[in-house]
Amino acid sequence: MPRSRPHRRRRPVRVRPRFVLGAAAMACAVLTVVAALLPTVADAHPGWSPSANSWPVVAGAWRWFGGNHRKPGGTSPTTTPTTPPTPTSTATSPPTTGTAAPPTTPTIAPPIVAPPTGTDPNPNCTLIVPPAPQSAAGLATPYRFLATNPSAGACHEANTDQSAFVEAAILDPASGSISIYRPLVIDAGTRPAIAPVAPQLPRNAVVAVWFGYQADVLSLHARHGHRGVVNFRFGPGSSGCVNGLPGSPFGQFAYCGAPRFFAAAHAAITAGKLAIPDLGTGRDGLPCPTTRDFGVVDQDQSDNLPTKYLATTDGRTAQFSSANAAALPGATVLTNASDNGLVDNKLDPVLGCTPATAPDLTAGGSPTPALALNELQAAAHQGAPIALVPPNDPMALVNGTTSLAKTNLYRVGVDQPPVNPALDTGAAYCLNLAKVAVPRLALDQALTSAAPSPDPAAASDLHGFLVSRLDGSWTNLGCPDLTHFPTPTEAATAASPTAAPSATAAPVTTAPATPPADPATTIPTATTTPTAPTTPTAPTPAATTTTAP
């Protein structure tokens, strides 16, 4: 008879820290590789197909432009903006508004901006994206602002060389109406000067968010303290946040859910629910400018926002509204140097034009322009030649080289068709820029010379500012090498806008083909998308998308 074994106590399972850390590192490495290999997400851009299980990546810091790249344009951060003219038509009917107080005439004292942390402020900052950023609660939750690399210096929202901006567009699919909401940005560790307005969203609202920035590289992260690559879930019914390709962010630009929003907007236009106002004719006898007009675009068109914030003398911030301005005497108005702000707040008033507007839920429903409205109006009414994000846009480059994938990823965020590599070359963009911008600047000189400059440091008046901006864009786009014309004036008088010199277009890297889309996740193709120079043939790029958990 066998002897029974004595009972032995089980030793508790010990988990070695070294093993756990090693396993975690391996898992992160695998996910990072998978993120780079999975198919792209094109979220309903005509001809693009969404992938149901893409793994987006938010890239780390990357300086795409030498020195601080603070674009001239929009409203100067050191001046008090004026009230925009009352529009004669709007892009939408008023939706349900939030709880903001009725608008009153703002009283804003001369700016008192918090001093920079040094002579060369940290150009690379991070926004902590709140949970569910496209929900009502997410919109009302402030984005926290901090340095991407603290050793390079602090980031402060009230520092006009670093400020970041957020803007949301809200579509009611039932009525087709659009409203605008401007989420607040605050320094990490602080509280708002005035609590944000809580928006009321319509049922089944389609919401998109765009980002703008005053310095070099703005990164998005899901939580404070996380450094490096961040992965987020993405699937049918959700919309990702995009700020570039893995390892190569755009810089000043990012968006969440933009392709889905524009698809829904075009569906509303097709159904007759959403009307986009005509451009009208300016005092110069030409159609009023849009963000796709070669007469006003620069080296990186369609970026940044007309959003404004208020900053107190102690560096706290609040949403911009008449009520908040009255409650914060002495507050500074923070603005984003942008093409959108330049067209809406500077050129349109001078030319006697009116931008498309929608109710601003952060300001009691008062009419406001916005990036989304500008792009929809440009898509509907901009005449040829149409300026679309070119492959030589500095924000679309990867390590100084043109990238079809990154250019298309940028384009889809501002409702533009994919690149046609045969015709959408950097040289063609440069030549159109010269042929359209040079004569319009001359035609409008009498009007723009009498208007103040958005950036007094760059020029004394609006005309000088626009000329300086064109010359800088010609250089930053590499136009002298692409066209063999040292200046846009020489190109305007000697080159054709439709035929680029041979062997001058920069090579474009192609992206891998995307597998067929899951029919259950494909959003209907819009029928009112802007007319591309030719039928798009480019493959869908490998997208970098994120959405906060």
Side-chain angles (χ1 to χ4, degrees), residues 39 72 106 108 185 194 224 228 233 302-303 305 323 342 358 468 483 513 531:
I108 304 176
V185 177
I194 296 177
H224 192 172
R233 296 181 180 87
S302 299
D303 70 321
L305 309 168
L342 179 65
S468 175
T483 66
T531 303

Side-chain angles (χ1 to χ4, degrees), residues 325-344:
L328 298 172
T332 298
V333 179
L334 303 176
T335 59
N336 192 193
S338 68
D339 292 0
N340 289 280
L342 179 65
V343 172
D344 296 337

Side-chain angles (χ1 to χ4, degrees), residues 84-92 277-281 288 352-357 367 377:
T86 303
T88 56
S89 60
T90 63
T92 64
D278 292 333
L279 297 179
T281 302
C288 289
C353 299
T354 302
T357 62
Q377 190 177 39

Side-chain angles (χ1 to χ4, degrees), residues 263-325:
H266 286 298
I269 293 171
T270 301
K273 297 179 179 180
L274 175 61
I276 304 298
D278 292 333
L279 297 179
T281 302
R283 293 190 178 106
D284 57 2
L286 298 178
C288 289
T290 76
T291 51
R292 302 182 191 179
D293 189 330
F294 275 108
V296 299
V297 298
D298 69 348
Q299 65 198 35
D300 35 30
Q301 67 171 83
S302 299
D303 70 321
N304 289 320
L305 309 168
T307 289
K308 296 180 285 188
Y309 296 131
L310 295 169
T312 62
T313 54
D314 62 359
R316 292 181 300 148
T317 54
Q319 291 169 318
F320 181 86
S321 68
S322 298
N324 284 355

Side-chain angles (χ1 to χ4, degrees), residues 527-539:
T527 59
T528 57
T529 50
T531 303
T534 60
T535 303
T537 58

Side-chain angles (χ1 to χ4, degrees), residues 74-76 79-80 82 342 345-347 350 447-456 459-466:
T75 304
S76 170
T79 60
T80 302
T82 58
L342 179 65
N345 302 324
K346 293 296 182 180
L347 284 173
V350 168
L447 297 170
T448 54
S449 293
S453 172
D455 184 0
S460 59
D461 56 45
L462 180 58
H463 173 74
F465 170 83
L466 293 172

Side-chain angles (χ1 to χ4, degrees), residues 12-116:
V13 177
R14 298 178 60 187
V15 179
R16 297 181 182 274
R18 183 180 301 175
F19 173 79
V20 173
L21 294 176
M26 181 176 294
C28 289
V30 171
L31 289 176
T32 302
V33 172
V34 171
L37 297 178
L38 282 175
T40 92
V41 177
D43 259 350
H45 191 285
W48 293 43
S49 301
S51 169
N53 297 299
S54 297
W55 281 92
V57 176
V58 173
W62 174 67
R63 289 188 70 149
W64 56 266
F65 192 76
N68 288 353
H69 177 67
R70 294 184 292 277
K71 284 185 56 177
T75 304
S76 170
T78 59
T79 60
T80 302
T82 58
T83 303
T86 303
T88 56
S89 60
T90 63
T92 64
S93 57
T96 304
T97 60
T99 57
T104 59
T105 302
T107 304
I108 304 176
I112 305 176
V113 180

Side-chain angles (χ1 to χ4, degrees), residues 168-508:
I170 303 158
L171 174 72
D172 181 353
S175 66
S177 63
I178 294 176
S179 56
I180 304 301
Y181 184 86
R182 306 185 193 279
L184 182 63
V185 177
I186 64 174
D187 283 4
T190 68
R191 293 184 177 182
I194 296 177
V197 173
Q200 299 176 10
L201 304 187
R203 184 180 180 85
N204 299 320
V206 181
V207 181
V209 181
W210 290 266
F211 301 86
Y213 186 46
Q214 290 292 96
D216 287 0
V217 178
L218 181 68
S219 297
L220 305 181
H221 290 294
R223 61 187 183 275
H224 192 172
H226 193 289
R227 305 298 174 194
V229 175
V230 180
N231 289 310
F232 297 89
R233 296 181 180 87
F234 185 92
S238 64
S239 297
C241 295
V242 178
N243 74 333
L245 290 176
S248 182
F250 296 125
Q252 295 178 334
F253 178 69
Y255 59 86
C256 303
R260 182 168 176 260
F261 171 86
F262 284 122
H266 286 298
I269 293 171
T270 301
K273 297 179 179 180
L274 175 61
I276 304 298
D278 292 333
L279 297 179
T281 302
R283 293 190 178 106
D284 57 2
L286 298 178
C288 289
T290 76
T291 51
R292 302 182 191 179
D293 189 330
F294 275 108
V296 299
V297 298
D298 69 348
Q299 65 198 35
D300 35 30
Q301 67 171 83
S302 299
D303 70 321
N304 289 320
L305 309 168
T307 289
K308 296 180 285 188
Y309 296 131
L310 295 169
T312 62
T313 54
D314 62 359
R316 292 181 300 148
T317 54
Q319 291 169 318
F320 181 86
S321 68
S322 298
N324 284 355
L328 298 172
T332 298
V333 179
L334 303 176
T335 59
N336 192 193
S338 68
D339 292 0
N340 289 280
L342 179 65
V343 172
D344 296 337
N345 302 324
K346 293 296 182 180
L347 284 173
D348 277 352
V350 168
L351 296 175
C353 299
T354 302
T357 62
D360 186 349
L361 303 188
T362 58
S366 59
T368 183
L371 179 147
L373 303 177
N374 289 339
E375 293 301 331
L376 286 170
Q377 190 177 39
H381 301 303
Q382 176 60 49
I386 301 173
L388 302 173
V389 175
N392 53 328
D393 182 331
M395 291 195 193
L397 301 179
V398 176
N399 295 326
T401 302
T402 55
S403 166
L404 184 63
K406 194 175 180 184
T407 306
N408 282 340
L409 191 61
Y410 194 119
R411 282 190 175 200
V412 75
V414 288
D415 195 30
Q416 295 180 8
V419 172
N420 181 333
L423 295 179
D424 294 349
T425 65
Y429 190 90
C430 290
L431 292 171
N432 276 317
L433 181 64
K435 277 291 186 178
V436 176
V438 170
R440 182 154 196 173
L441 289 179
L443 177 66
D444 294 344
Q445 183 173 359
L447 297 170
T448 54
S449 293
S453 172
D455 184 0
S460 59
D461 56 45
L462 180 58
H463 173 74
F465 170 83
L466 293 172
V467 170
S468 175
R469 183 170 174 267
L470 174 60
D471 289 340
S473 298
W474 189 259
T475 298
N476 295 333
L477 287 167
C479 296
D481 291 334
L482 293 172
T483 66
H484 303 306
F485 293 108
T487 68
T489 301
E490 291 176 283
T493 57
S496 167
T498 57
S502 60
T504 58
V508 177

